[in-house]
Amino acid sequence: MYDLKIKNAKIVDGTGLKPFHGDIAVIDDIIVERGKNLGLAKECYDAEGLVLCPGFIDVHTHYDAQITWDATASPSLDLGVTTAIIGNCGFTIAPCKPEHRELNIKNLTKVEGMPYNTLKKGIDWNYESYHEYLSLLESKNLALNICSYIGHSALRIWAMGEEAMQREARDDEIIEMEKIVSNAMRSGAIGFATSTFEGHNGTNGIPMPSRFASREEISRLIKAMAIDGRGIFMLTKSNNTEIKDIIKLLGNVDRPAMVAALLDNPMKKSWAYNVLEDITKAQNKGYEIWGQVSCRPLTMEFTMNEPYMLEGLLAWRDYMIQNTVEDRKNILKNQKFRKAVLNEILDTTKNKLFVGNWEKIKLINTKRTSLLKHLGMNLVEIANFYNKEPFDWLLDNAINDGFDDLFAAELLNSDNKQVQKLLKHKYASIALSDAGAHTSLLCDAGYAIELLSKWTRELKVFSLEEAVYNLTGKQADICRIPKRGRLVPGYFADMILLDPNKISTSAAYRKDDLPAKSDRLIVDSVGIKEIWVNGVNKNKNTAGKLIREYLS
Ligand SMILES: [Zn+2]
């Protein structure tokens, strides 16, 4: 007698092979049989007309903090993600000494847009070392499976204190970090993650700690990661880092590298694709490198209090270091400052988040009656109305008490033709949900559903089996996650039952359910009937696992 049987399903098994009609049987947390007319089970679902596929593996999330107060990683599990990888870009909250908690919180508030009061109230700090952090997660009754990187920025703060955001590390500090990375791997980290990306700034706009690291430091930490011949090197790369530089960082370490974030940039059309082509060349030479791409346009909601899209600009730093509203207004009035920022925005030699396409920014909310008539209009339209340049209007508006006006910017990755080329690339890893981060700016946690709805059902860019493979089996292979991502006997029963004609997400909406009542953007799934994690229906019980063992 089986514990669970799903019968009459169209099974898309995560291997990329053609779907077939049949049953899947589970005992405990393992798939034990698949075929037609399988025997009796304690629990049975008739899945006629529905698709059964593996749960999605979201390789780029930032649930490090949230998972300590919300073991369901909301909303990801409800959107079909049964395994999430945390610690991307190196922005972990472990290891962390008590005296560094405040700095880590302030950095996360800035770099990942997590509300300060939420982190202050929400994080369970019942750990110091990385090992203790993993044990804490294990004690949390996780509702989905979690894999965790050891993160470079938290590691530097542990070893160097505040100087982590001022300078390169000394040899003795690197030695200490090497030990922690190796120990973290032995405790069950999936790999080592870091960022050299210009847009990654911490408290007061100071670059995140990992951005102060020398190449030697990063190389030595990759080596420390690979101590037992395991581990994924995850890098969110600087605009100036090329694939050949990553090969140099890897040196003679024969481990896979995951590179983020390859988004289509309307002003630099072939940039992301060219990186993938460089990755192909590296793969052909034996270096296993993967490029993280996204199937969603990068849309961010922002106010001029914290315009994330400008925060990667060197010239914008002068704004970020101001403490009072008056000081902020003064710097915004400064014509030299305006000119420097605008020049940097319009400099097309660099790949940036925002490249001056003002028509892609819309006013979506304001409390000021004088502005109501412009709701829904883009910056070019509004600026024309006042006979101004868009950038000048945006800053003038902030100065005139418009700091809280809410804008939405469609920044990158919105050209379907270009994005399709990225998604279909052999060495692309479809990811970049950033789930758990930028909670009030965006919600891309439903990216996997969008691959199945928009890109598969509507645009027919993928067959269903190909799309599912990209979200499941392929990710498990890249990340060396054992026995997940495929519906085959011997594998863990992480499964989703869905209606292929209905699967989609709701429009994003706001909900103030974070600790300290901060609000966030959230989406719901449509067309997902059931979700099982390790053989257990998510509505009945929590059965997620902290994954600590990986393939080499
Ligand atoms: Zn990230």
Side-chain angles (χ1 to χ4, degrees):
M1 176 96 117
Y2 305 119
D3 290 327
L4 170 68
K5 184 175 76 173
I6 292 98
K7 63 172 190 181
N8 300 325
K10 179 177 177 181
I11 297 168
V12 183
D13 69 1
T15 61
L17 298 174
K18 283 253 171 288
F20 59 96
H21 207 84
D23 308 348
I24 289 234
V26 176
I27 292 179
D28 197 13
D29 53 355
I30 299 288
I31 295 168
V32 292
E33 199 89 61
R34 58 182 222 184
K36 284 203 195 298
N37 303 317
L38 299 181
L40 290 176
K42 288 178 202 157
E43 241 184 292
C44 185
Y45 288 79
D46 190 345
E48 192 56 56
L50 301 175
V51 162
L52 186 71
C53 71
F56 308 131
I57 299 176
D58 187 344
V59 301
H60 195 123
T61 81
H62 291 281
Y63 282 122
D64 303 70
Q66 185 180 327
I67 199 72
T68 71
W69 72 75
D70 164 26
T72 71
S74 156
S76 283
L77 175 59
D78 292 338
L79 295 163
V81 172
T82 55
T83 300
I85 303 183
I86 63 175
N88 279 280
C89 314
F91 303 149
T92 52
I93 55 169
C96 183
K97 297 171 184 167
E99 63 266 34
H100 297 145
R101 287 175 189 165
E102 187 68 13
L103 180 56
N104 271 302
I105 286 183
K106 283 186 172 160
N107 279 343
L108 281 182
T109 298
K110 189 75 203 154
V111 76
E112 292 296 349
M114 302 172 184
Y116 176 84
N117 291 334
T118 295
L119 297 176
K120 194 85 183 156
K121 186 156 184 227
I123 295 177
D124 180 350
W125 288 109
N126 235 319
Y127 65 90
E128 286 187 30
S129 70
Y130 189 80
H131 184 82
E132 288 164 356
Y133 174 74
L134 292 188
S135 303
L136 175 80
L137 296 192
E138 212 153 45
S139 73
K140 291 280 180 191
N141 292 325
L142 297 172
L144 73 174
N145 307 306
I146 295 288
C147 310
S148 178
Y149 283 108
I150 166 83
H152 195 182
S153 279
L155 179 63
R156 278 186 127 243
I157 292 174
W158 172 283
M160 304 168 66
E162 287 185 6
E163 291 181 33
M165 296 173 81
Q166 291 161 13
R167 61 171 173 83
E168 291 188 356
R170 294 190 307 263
D171 193 53
D172 58 309
E173 291 160 338
I174 298 179
I175 290 171
E176 188 187 355
M177 289 192 273
E178 286 171 324
K179 276 191 199 134
I180 297 172
V181 168
S182 295
N183 285 337
M185 293 304 294
R186 289 187 167 154
S187 295
I190 190 171
F192 166 69
T194 189
S195 167
T196 53
F197 175 55
E198 288 80 358
H200 280 158
N201 299 297
T203 179
N204 293 324
I206 301 166
M208 283 296 282
S210 59
R211 289 182 53 202
F212 289 89
S214 65
R215 284 173 176 225
E216 189 205 330
E217 176 182 332
I218 297 176
S219 275
R220 283 172 63 177
L221 295 179
I222 295 171
K223 244 194 198 126
M225 168 194 88
I227 183 163
D228 293 329
R230 291 204 301 105
I232 315 293
F233 170 53
M234 191 276 151
L235 170 70
T236 300
K237 72 177 200 68
S238 143
N239 297 321
N240 303 317
T241 307
E242 293 186 32
I243 296 303
K244 62 177 195 288
D245 302 318
I246 296 171
I247 290 175
K248 274 189 209 141
L249 286 176
L250 288 167
N252 54 13
V253 173
D254 185 15
R255 297 305 312 157
M258 268 283 212
V259 179
L262 309 185
L263 300 169
D264 176 56
N265 188 327
M267 306 301 247
K268 280 179 80 73
K269 276 269 172 253
S270 45
W271 174 82
Y273 189 77
N274 288 344
V275 176
L276 283 173
E277 285 303 281
D278 288 344
I279 286 178
T280 304
K281 284 179 207 144
Q283 285 265 11
N284 291 341
K285 282 190 211 146
Y287 296 96
E288 188 184 333
I289 301 178
W290 302 89
Q292 292 188 352
V293 304
S294 167
C295 64
R296 298 216 0 113
L298 182 65
T299 304
M300 281 192 163
E301 295 186 9
F302 71 93
T303 68
M304 284 306 285
N305 284 312
E306 288 187 271
Y308 185 83
M309 51 170 205
L310 300 179
E311 292 182 346
L313 304 175
L314 226 55
W316 191 255
R317 185 83 41 85
D318 283 344
Y319 174 86
M320 290 197 282
I321 56 175
Q322 307 300 328
N323 287 321
T324 68
V325 177
E326 242 4 83
D327 290 343
R328 286 178 166 199
K329 284 185 180 176
N330 281 332
I331 189 81
L332 291 184
K333 279 178 200 158
N334 184 320
Q335 289 303 324
K336 235 174 96 189
F337 166 80
R338 285 192 181 198
K339 205 162 175 261
V341 175
L342 193 59
N343 282 343
E344 209 176 329
I345 289 174
L346 298 178
D347 176 3
T348 52
T349 62
K350 292 209 184 83
N351 180 56
K352 302 180 303 277
L353 212 47
F354 180 64
V355 286
N357 28 354
W358 305 103
E359 72 285 354
K360 296 275 188 187
I361 300 181
K362 284 181 185 155
L363 177 68
I364 60 168
N365 204 357
T366 179
K367 290 201 174 86
R368 295 181 307 144
T369 42
S370 60
L371 267 194
L372 285 175
K373 59 178 176 289
H374 298 310
L375 274 184
M377 289 169 76
N378 72 47
L379 282 193
V380 174
E381 295 165 337
I382 303 174
N384 278 342
F385 186 88
Y386 296 99
N387 226 341
K388 287 185 181 182
E389 289 300 316
F391 184 58
D392 285 324
W393 178 81
L394 186 66
L395 302 198
D396 290 345
N397 182 62
I399 294 165
N400 298 325
D401 294 322
F403 276 111
D404 294 323
D405 293 334
L406 189 65
F407 298 89
E410 199 172 89
L411 297 169
L412 301 170
N413 230 44
S414 56
D415 179 338
N416 281 352
K417 269 226 167 76
Q418 296 292 326
V419 174
Q420 171 175 341
K421 277 169 69 183
L422 304 181
L423 296 177
K424 294 286 276 190
H425 198 281
K426 187 176 174 191
Y427 297 115
S429 159
I430 299 174
L432 296 174
S433 77
D434 256 356
H438 311 297
T439 43
S440 84
L441 302 176
L442 56 85
C443 180
D444 287 347
Y447 77 102
I449 291 179
E450 184 147 323
L451 195 74
L452 298 183
S453 54
K454 173 179 165 183
W455 294 97
T456 303
R457 185 179 61 226
E458 290 160 31
L459 298 177
K460 301 196 166 32
V461 165
F462 290 97
S463 67
L464 189 55
E465 59 269 25
E466 195 186 357
V468 168
Y469 167 67
N470 270 281
L471 299 166
T472 59
K474 185 177 184 182
Q475 302 290 15
D477 292 348
I478 295 173
C479 297
R480 309 307 201 256
I481 302 170
K483 294 184 184 173
R484 297 191 191 272
R486 289 179 171 85
L487 301 184
V488 298
Y491 275 52
F492 291 101
D494 296 337
M495 311 184 290
I496 313 171
L497 193 60
L498 59 89
D499 183 338
N501 301 315
K502 295 213 177 105
I503 181 108
S504 58
T505 52
S506 72
Y509 61 97
R510 286 188 181 270
K511 201 172 177 182
D512 62 352
D513 62 344
L514 290 175
K517 283 205 138 304
S518 308
D519 81 341
R520 59 171 173 163
L521 278 170
I522 203 163
V523 299
D524 297 329
S525 69
V526 177
I528 289 188
K529 302 290 180 191
E530 305 290 343
I531 297 171
W532 291 271
V533 179
N534 295 307
V536 176
N537 192 306
K538 80 161 178 72
N539 294 327
K540 297 211 169 125
N541 216 335
T542 54
K545 287 177 190 160
L546 178 73
I547 299 176
R548 301 178 104 151
E549 279 170 26
Y550 297 92
L551 304 169
S552 60

